[in-house]
Amino acid sequence: MYQTGQRWSSRNEPDLGVGMIVEKQAKSFTLHFPDAETDRQYSHDQTSLVRRTLTIGDQLHFQDDTFTVLEVEEIDGLIEYRISDQDDWLEESIIQFPRNDKNEIDSLLALSPARRMWFDLRRHTLEHQAANAASPVRGLMGLKAELLPHQIYLAHDIANRSKARALLCDEVGMGKTLEAGLILHQRLLNGLCKRALILTPTNLQHQWLVEMLRRFHQPFSLINESVYEDFMEGDDNPFEQQPFVIAPIDWASQHPKAAQHMLDAEWDMVIVDEAHHLAWHPETPSIGYQVVSRLAANSESLLLLSATPEQTGEREHFSRLQLLDPDHYHSFERYQAQQQEFKQAAELAAILLPYSQENHGLAAKDWHAAFSHYLSEVQNKDWFTQLEKSQGAQHIEAAQEAISWLIDRHGTGREMFRNTRAAVGGFPNRYLHSYPLENNELFASASHHVQPEHDVADGHWEKDPRWIWLKEFLECQADKVLVICHSADMAQWLNDQLTFAGFQSADFHEQMPLIHRDRAAAYFADEDGAQILVCSEIGSEGRNFQFSHHLVMYDLPEHPDLLEQRIGRLDRLGQLNDVQIHVPYLKNSVQERLFNWYHHALNAFCRTTGSGDKVEEAFRDSLHAYLHGQDDDSDLLQEAHVYHEALLKQMDEGRNRLLEMSSCRPEQARQLIDQINHQANKGLHHYIEQVTHAFNIYADCQNDDTDTAAWFIRPSTDMMLEALPGIEEEGKMLMLDRRQASQRENVAFATWEHPLITMLMDEVQGFDSGKLTSAILPIAALPEGTVLIESMFVIEATAHPRLKLAQSLPMTPMWQLSDSNGKFLHQQFTADKWAEKLKGVPNRVAEQWVAALRKDLIEVLQAHQLNAQDQARPIVHTAKTAYQHRCENEIDRLRELKAYNSLIRDEDIEALEHNMQEGLVRIDEHQIRLDAIRIILTTKPE
């Protein structure tokens, strides 16, 4: 079906123009779009492309000459065009494809008329596509989770950079995975990323796989050792076959051939989780670091994720910053000097912060002395004068502006972002409840094995003191309880026993298919569903259950990070109650000693800590001996506690308030969230009703409220489409309320960015029959048989996505209405009000109208073409002015900051200037094309 040289265009990205297949692989192919100067890769089973060919009478360009197509022939999948009476033929691969068909009016009138509703559906589709393309929050609306200010601000900042390269080092539980997913999703939808690679530790690969699908509807392919071996029978590179890949970095680092295949594939974005494990030494950088270094050098965007980026030392931290920007971070000594300067700014920001808050009650301060380092820069600024002289609200506002100035001066262009629980706030308290239990002979192995049931046959597990305690504990509980244990076998056994004992329980473990896990999670989330969910360790990976506040740890994990992951399923923003942590353990067991270590040395149950593994490393030998009963050194826990507290104090003293402030500016974050909430599904309820009816898709509205509507969508036997993305055969619920959808795993959150909606919009645009429709207008004021013509023209400007042209001039529809004499009437109506007056007409009758009126229709529509050009001029002028103003504002801002901020370079400003000039040229080269026609005949009212 697909051949090198064929011409295709994208329904998803019509702005790219007409592309040509330049490379073909086993399961995918590459299209080059000359107008947009970009390439795109598509799989063979895609549905978003339209084959583009010319017909007899069309014009084509070849070697600076224009020819008329006299004859068309297909040979081996390629089209050839005869251009002369001397039998000269040109293959489609060597011609310049015209941007617009010359005879577009004639082409549309040659179609079979469709139902009248298709004209309105096309118009609504174009209007919604235009609004979404122009939105500054496009790509941030589709997240199936609560919108948290620090995540939205950070994602918006990084995703809108020309190159999304950053170190995300939010504290544990702040949502770095979602932040990275938001950045990726935004760049995907805005055409800035087509291929992405996510490198994770082995134990997190499935968490990422699930999160990308569940939160962003973005399927990834997992390539690990077992998957890779399946590909080794042939010569294909598995990393080139899939556009979105998750791979364990520790496996790839140990497998040279897999690492080389990974490097051979081209990636637009690379994401590395737990980046602090990329060990570096000047002489011997780790293989993992070397692999990421080569990927970073060849990828436009790079995100490194680490809650503890500096735990391995400042020099290794600098080595990871070098991955992001080797040109700027070329000297460690220069970096240290910049950090000292940034530290001074952070100290000043910490002084200003209390003064920026209402009712602070603080004494006046010598701001000349405080700003001594910046006095020459700020002494003429209005806010500095207000800071020195004013009081009350004016003084508070001046302090806020001073902080904003510091953030702009030092924060703009920074690669490192860090949000902390202390800065963001809103987290619950944690309370620990411990239950030391007497052991018995059956579980004697617990004294030397971390899992008490390790050497005990499952037929005796019911004698486990922890099981006896769990039943008694749950009998006294009315709230929902999350139970986490290490293994899938134990989780399944506990659930079976609880169910047999009469509890409403569900299990959740890695041996279950993903859909069954989703159902179990949904059953637990349902207010009338399971009271208890029993999870294996994977239950602490990626799933959030903040509607519950009781956590039972049936056993304890061997690493403090896993302990924090378990607690983090409940201890999250949005948790409305204090988190109650219940830990039963057998006396004189490894679990008891592990409990003592976590509680007394790390205080890990009642607060988060990012340095638990650092403490364990410092006391490794002593800790191993203590946990396995070889040494009951009573001083170990106290020494570790003192060491840990010293680490935390050191981290807090080094805490950079300015970095935290620049990582989230609350007012801007609030404005972004307001925009997202306003635009995410505005008008979508009505559109779902329209589009599902048009394509004969089963759709049952189960809540007709515009803001909280819910639709049950299912494929139907007479559906006009082959498949529905994200919708199983048995159907799926689409909810327009973000909060409700986020709390239910088995429903989809419907926004304009959901794959089903974007696909349906593309299908509307690709449905050629819908371009010509007909209707009757019952009206007494006009003679019966009066002909009226509606048309819809579209303004299109083709450009590379990096120019962000669509934010100023998206694909813009223009509606017109006239009589058969060319008198325009559309200013007297709105398009929707006009559509309400129309009635349907049989297709056979409509075909007769078109045939009889064809000549007159062409003349009227030519008048529509001229009027569309007049209609477009003010739209294009406004768009051009707005585009230039937006670009110039950013260029002027960076020029001013460059005098003080070394992160802003001449080439950055020059790139913006070049983009602005190119964008203005592309706007001037805009095209106006005819998209749809509706022919109307008047009749007498009934």
Side-chain angles (χ1 to χ4, degrees), residues 478-549:
D479 298 321
K480 288 184 180 288
V481 179
L482 178 66
V483 180
I484 298 183
C485 58
H486 175 70
S487 70
D489 290 341
M490 178 56 74
Q492 192 168 0
W493 183 87
L494 284 173
N495 179 63
D496 291 343
Q497 296 301 311
L498 288 169
T499 303
F500 184 75
F503 294 97
Q504 271 190 295
S505 176
D507 57 348
F508 187 103
H509 52 79
E510 62 269 30
Q511 295 175 6
M512 300 166 62
L514 186 58
I515 189 171
H516 291 176
R517 294 185 221 169
D518 282 342
R519 288 172 179 168
Y523 182 41
F524 184 49
D526 194 317
E527 187 174 342
D528 298 322
Q531 181 199 1
I532 305 152
L533 183 67
V534 186
C535 297
S536 65
E537 199 68 69
I538 65 164
S540 62
E541 292 185 1
R543 297 280 179 159
N544 301 328
F545 301 109
Q546 57 262 50
F547 51 83
S548 169
H549 61 280

Side-chain angles (χ1 to χ4, degrees), residues 439-446 452-457 459-465 586:
N439 203 349
N440 57 44
E441 292 181 0
L442 279 171
F443 287 84
S445 62
E453 70 278 4
H454 181 261
D455 291 331
V456 182
H460 297 298
W461 285 1
E462 62 184 14
K463 301 295 179 61
D464 190 334
L586 303 181

Side-chain angles (χ1 to χ4, degrees), residues 340-357:
Q340 188 59 37
E341 183 182 352
F342 192 67
K343 184 179 179 181
Q344 291 176 345
E347 290 170 352
L348 179 54
I351 294 170
L352 283 162
L353 185 59
Y355 287 89
S356 69
Q357 298 166 357

Side-chain angles (χ1 to χ4, degrees), residues 16 101 131 161 163-164 209 257 260 334 384 391 448 475 527 557 636 644 702 731 738 755 764 768-769 788 835 888 929:
L16 296 177
D101 295 339
R161 298 180 177 186
K163 298 178 180 179
L209 193 69
K257 188 173 182 180
Q260 189 58 51
R334 182 170 178 265
F384 186 72
Q391 295 180 345
H448 59 266
E475 285 171 355
E527 187 174 342
L636 171 65
H644 186 225
Q702 301 193 357
R738 188 185 302 271
V764 170
D768 285 343
S769 296
L788 302 172
E888 287 178 342
R929 67 168 173 84

Side-chain angles (χ1 to χ4, degrees), residues 278-280 285-293 319-320 322-323:
L278 297 176
W280 179 91
S286 68
I287 296 176
Y289 183 92
Q290 295 178 56
V291 169
V292 173
S293 178
S319 74
R320 287 184 280 275
Q322 285 183 303
L323 295 173

Side-chain angles (χ1 to χ4, degrees), residues 763-775:
E763 290 293 340
V764 170
Q765 291 300 302
F767 185 58
D768 285 343
S769 296
K771 295 179 179 180
L772 177 65
T773 59
S774 59

Side-chain angles (χ1 to χ4, degrees), residues 431-476:
Y431 293 98
L432 173 65
H433 309 273
S434 59
Y435 306 89
L437 306 172
E438 295 292 340
N439 203 349
N440 57 44
E441 292 181 0
L442 279 171
F443 287 84
S445 62
S447 63
H448 59 266
H449 199 284
V450 70
Q451 301 302 331
E453 70 278 4
H454 181 261
D455 291 331
V456 182
D458 55 10
H460 297 298
W461 285 1
E462 62 184 14
K463 301 295 179 61
D464 190 334
R466 295 173 300 165
W467 162 242
I468 298 169
W469 168 87
L470 181 63
K471 281 197 303 182
E472 295 174 353
F473 169 78
L474 292 174
E475 285 171 355
C476 302

Side-chain angles (χ1 to χ4, degrees), residues 195-420:
R195 288 178 53 79
L197 171 67
I198 300 177
L199 298 174
T200 78
T202 300
N203 65 313
L204 297 180
Q205 56 185 329
H206 291 99
Q207 174 186 336
W208 275 91
L209 193 69
V210 169
E211 284 292 271
M212 290 301 100
L213 184 61
R214 181 191 304 123
R215 302 299 182 191
F216 302 100
H217 311 289
Q218 182 59 57
F220 269 75
S221 299
L222 180 61
I223 298 181
N224 52 24
E225 184 171 11
S226 60
V227 175
Y228 185 79
E229 292 302 325
D230 290 342
F231 277 87
M232 286 301 91
E233 296 179 2
D235 296 328
D236 290 341
N237 180 348
F239 290 96
E240 291 180 340
Q241 302 303 313
Q242 304 297 335
F244 304 106
V245 173
I246 294 172
I249 188 171
D250 38 4
W251 161 72
S253 301
Q254 298 166 11
H255 198 301
K257 188 173 182 180
Q260 189 58 51
H261 271 151
M262 184 188 295
L263 292 166
D264 289 342
E266 295 183 358
W267 307 102
D268 299 313
M269 177 177 283
V270 175
I271 300 173
V272 184
D273 197 9
E274 303 289 346
H276 52 274
H277 292 313
L278 297 176
W280 179 91
H281 185 274
E283 304 300 328
T284 56
S286 68
I287 296 176
Y289 183 92
Q290 295 178 56
V291 169
V292 173
S293 178
R294 291 178 61 186
L295 287 167
N298 296 313
S299 303
E300 184 175 68
S301 297
L302 174 67
L303 300 178
L304 305 178
L305 281 58
S306 172
T308 55
E310 295 167 322
Q311 71 170 20
T312 54
E314 189 177 18
R315 191 63 185 83
E316 282 206 39
H317 174 55
F318 175 73
S319 74
R320 287 184 280 275
L321 292 174
Q322 285 183 303
L323 295 173
L324 296 169
D325 190 344
D327 293 334
H328 179 76
Y329 296 103
H330 61 84
S331 166
F332 182 58
E333 290 71 25
R334 182 170 178 265
Y335 164 74
Q336 287 182 308
Q338 290 173 339
Q339 288 301 101
Q340 188 59 37
E341 183 182 352
F342 192 67
K343 184 179 179 181
Q344 291 176 345
E347 290 170 352
L348 179 54
I351 294 170
L352 283 162
L353 185 59
Y355 287 89
S356 69
Q357 298 166 357
E358 294 183 6
N359 304 318
H360 56 70
L362 297 171
K365 192 167 187 66
D366 183 354
W367 293 110
H368 258 78
F371 276 87
S372 59
H373 187 66
Y374 305 100
L375 206 54
S376 62
E377 301 174 42
V378 304
Q379 57 187 356
N380 295 324
K381 293 189 179 293
D382 292 339
W383 58 258
F384 186 72
T385 303
Q386 295 292 338
L387 196 62
E388 286 193 294
K389 298 180 179 179
S390 65
Q391 295 180 345
Q394 284 185 322
H395 190 270
I396 292 170
E397 185 177 346
Q400 292 170 347
E401 289 187 39
I403 291 173
S404 293
W405 179 83
L406 279 171
I407 292 173
D408 276 340
R409 190 188 187 283
H410 293 280
T412 301
R414 288 188 68 85
E415 286 86 5
M416 186 170 170
F417 291 77
R418 181 167 179 79
N419 287 293
T420 64

